[in-house]
Amino acid sequence: MTDKLTPQVRIILATVLSFLFFALYDHFFIPKNPPLTENTSLEQNATPSTTTSAPEVKSASSADVASAPMGSAKESEIITTIKAAGYEVQIDRLGRIAKFYLEEGKYKDDKGERFQLIDASQSLLPLEIRFSDKNVNADAFVMSYSADKSNVDVTENGSSVVLTQTLGSVNITKTLTFFPSGKYDLHIKLSTPKEYFVSPGFRPSVAVDGYTFHGALIKKSDGTVKTIDDGSAKGDERFSNAKVVAGADKYYTTFFYELDKGLESVVSVGKDKDPLLFVKGNEDFKLSGYIGPKEHVKLKAINPELTDVVEYGFFTFIAKPLFKLLAYLHGIFGNWGWAIVAMTIIVRLVLYPLTYKGMVSMNKLKELAPKVKELQKKYGDDKQKLNMHMMELYKKHGANPMGGCLPILLQIPVFFAVYRVLQNAIELKGAAWIFWVQDLAIKDPYFILPVLMGITMFLHQRITPTTFTDPMQEKIMKFLPLIFTFFFVTFPAGLTLYWFTNNLASIVQQFYVNKLFAKKHEEQKVEK
């Protein structure tokens, strides 16, 4: 049967299958790490403290990032608690951020429990220091820090806490200043110079799936971004003067940044080859950090360069402008759902010239379909002659057999970019559209949008000219709306809304083109 498929049908099928592969990968491929949801406790994915320690790797200065002693990942005594309107931080006796909770309403599960981005049972915690001197390093995981305050309430201008630790002849002072946005400033001072590395911690594990990015992200000195997916760390990655050193899951991140001088960063290998991030410090070391959701507005308010931690994959160069457009439209409508609808219409209008060419080409091919059938009957046994006469026919009437498919192929990057934007935008979490859709980041609870999407896809098929010469080809294409409906049942409502709106726009455009051709036929009849 595949020999009978026309070039148009083959490309359309390839396009559909390509979309299904990428869009459904996270639903049907088992990720290397167990998938978690926002309702899942971090402890379920915690690295056992008795089995894991970070291997040693060489830094850019050929010094070792020492391993953490066995048992260092277990829950430790909390010495100070920092509270802000949007988050709560707990620091343990080893001077690390042992727990980080989000306080905003949309970051709570169905039971009202706060999302926890950092958990003490992780193999690597934010602010953890590892010394190259193994004796000092061993003491660092035994001797406790003291805090000048046991409770800190974060004010608008920032609130500080000072942590001190004594390791023999070395006194360590960590001064932390927290801000309402989730940003913090870190100042580390050593009384005696010792080589050490400090970490922003292992990535949050709240929103992990098998398709969206989770792992390490480094914004290099030249502004380019390097990503290291979980399971692909090699242990020899080093980045001099890195601007941002981040660990991230789909929606949340923890990172260090220094946008002027940069950070000397090292990537170590953790359990299952997951990347563990460190930056090299000195006796008087300053940097800034952030823990929280990858909200574009919040990150941009801290510094526009930090928005690069929102990762869209291969189509980032298209996805970023699309998200800016979406955010702009949200500012106009005040509703992310209507912003998606408006963005879809704008994208369709921009792509209209390509779409129009494809539709016109398909109409021309439909007109020639009877003549193509005659040629197939006449030269059915001689493919060479058949192809030659078909090309002559197309050339004579100004039709291009690939004309209906090339515009589709050119639009694929845009469609995938929109898909990635809607999959990665935490702004859609907890965002209502209308009536029954109260969260655009999760599936439609009543499956209304997937059904409407399937119906509009079917209607668009019915009014679109086809050039099928084989009944089996037609049956395959007729089943596509049903297949898409089935798959979109589990997709986020925001993504389904985009596809439904896109189908409506396609129907309007197809009606317009069909009307133009009908008018052209009437004029030709009058001339005759």
Side-chain angles (χ1 to χ4, degrees), residues 170-207:
V170 183
N171 295 320
I172 304 166
T173 303
K174 287 182 183 177
T175 303
L176 286 157
T177 304
F178 290 90
F179 298 88
S181 62
K183 171 199 171 181
Y184 61 88
D185 291 333
L186 171 64
H187 183 190
I188 301 175
K189 293 190 72 174
L190 272 61
S191 61
T192 304
K194 289 285 183 180
E195 191 167 68
Y196 68 90
F197 298 83
V198 60
S199 176
F202 186 62
R203 61 151 175 82
S205 300
V206 183

Side-chain angles (χ1 to χ4, degrees), residues 320-392:
K320 279 193 172 184
L322 282 173
F323 179 80
K324 288 181 179 180
L325 172 62
L326 184 64
Y328 174 76
L329 293 169
H330 174 257
I332 295 174
F333 294 102
N335 181 294
W336 285 104
W338 290 118
I340 290 171
V341 172
M343 180 190 72
T344 308
I345 294 171
I346 291 172
V347 169
R348 291 294 309 201
L349 289 174
V350 171
L351 296 177
Y352 178 72
L354 284 175
T355 308
Y356 178 77
K357 286 182 180 179
M359 289 178 173
V360 169
S361 180
M362 292 300 288
N363 273 282
K364 285 183 178 180
L365 292 174
K366 183 183 179 182
E367 290 179 349
L368 296 176
K371 294 183 179 180
V372 170
K373 284 185 178 180
E374 290 178 7
L375 291 175
Q376 287 174 334
K377 288 180 180 178
K378 187 174 182 179
Y379 303 105
D381 296 330
D382 191 336
K383 288 186 177 181
Q384 187 174 354
K385 281 189 176 181
L386 174 61
N387 289 332
M388 182 182 70
H389 283 86
M390 284 177 64
M391 288 302 104
E392 289 178 356

Side-chain angles (χ1 to χ4, degrees), residues 160-308:
S160 298
V161 60
V162 180
L163 311 175
T164 55
Q165 182 187 43
T166 301
L167 304 177
S169 62
V170 183
N171 295 320
I172 304 166
T173 303
K174 287 182 183 177
T175 303
L176 286 157
T177 304
F178 290 90
F179 298 88
S181 62
K183 171 199 171 181
Y184 61 88
D185 291 333
L186 171 64
H187 183 190
I188 301 175
K189 293 190 72 174
L190 272 61
S191 61
T192 304
K194 289 285 183 180
E195 191 167 68
Y196 68 90
F197 298 83
V198 60
S199 176
F202 186 62
R203 61 151 175 82
S205 300
V206 183
V208 177
D209 57 37
Y211 179 48
T212 52
F213 170 75
H214 48 92
L217 180 148
I218 295 92
K219 184 172 184 178
K220 296 188 285 186
S221 57
D222 61 1
T224 59
V225 174
K226 167 70 175 179
T227 58
I228 304 172
D229 293 273
D230 285 346
S232 63
K234 299 175 183 177
D236 59 355
E237 296 98 337
R238 307 174 188 92
F239 303 90
S240 297
N241 305 318
K243 293 186 174 186
V244 182
V245 179
D249 66 9
K250 177 180 178 179
Y251 284 149
Y252 309 98
T253 183
T254 173
F255 61 79
F256 286 159
Y257 69 96
E258 217 302 327
L259 302 177
D260 296 322
K261 298 177 182 177
L263 300 166
E264 184 176 347
S265 62
V266 180
V267 182
S268 182
V269 181
K271 184 184 179 184
D272 299 323
K273 294 186 178 181
D274 292 339
L276 302 179
L277 296 169
F278 294 89
V279 300
K280 186 181 179 182
N282 54 52
E283 63 268 23
D284 192 356
F285 188 50
K286 293 181 180 180
L287 55 70
S288 295
Y290 172 86
I291 302 176
K294 295 190 285 186
E295 291 184 22
H296 191 273
V297 171
K298 186 175 287 187
L299 294 172
K300 185 179 179 181
I302 299 171
N303 191 293
E305 287 203 55
L306 301 181
T307 58
D308 285 335

Side-chain angles (χ1 to χ4, degrees), residues 53-58 62-70 129-143 167-168 170 194-197:
S53 60
E56 297 175 4
V57 299
K58 296 288 184 181
S62 300
D64 288 341
V65 177
S67 300
M70 291 294 184
I129 291 179
R130 297 188 184 178
F131 289 88
S132 298
D133 185 320
K134 294 185 179 180
N135 292 325
V136 176
N137 191 62
D139 288 342
F141 285 90
V142 175
M143 305 304 294
L167 304 177
V170 183
K194 289 285 183 180
E195 191 167 68
Y196 68 90
F197 298 83

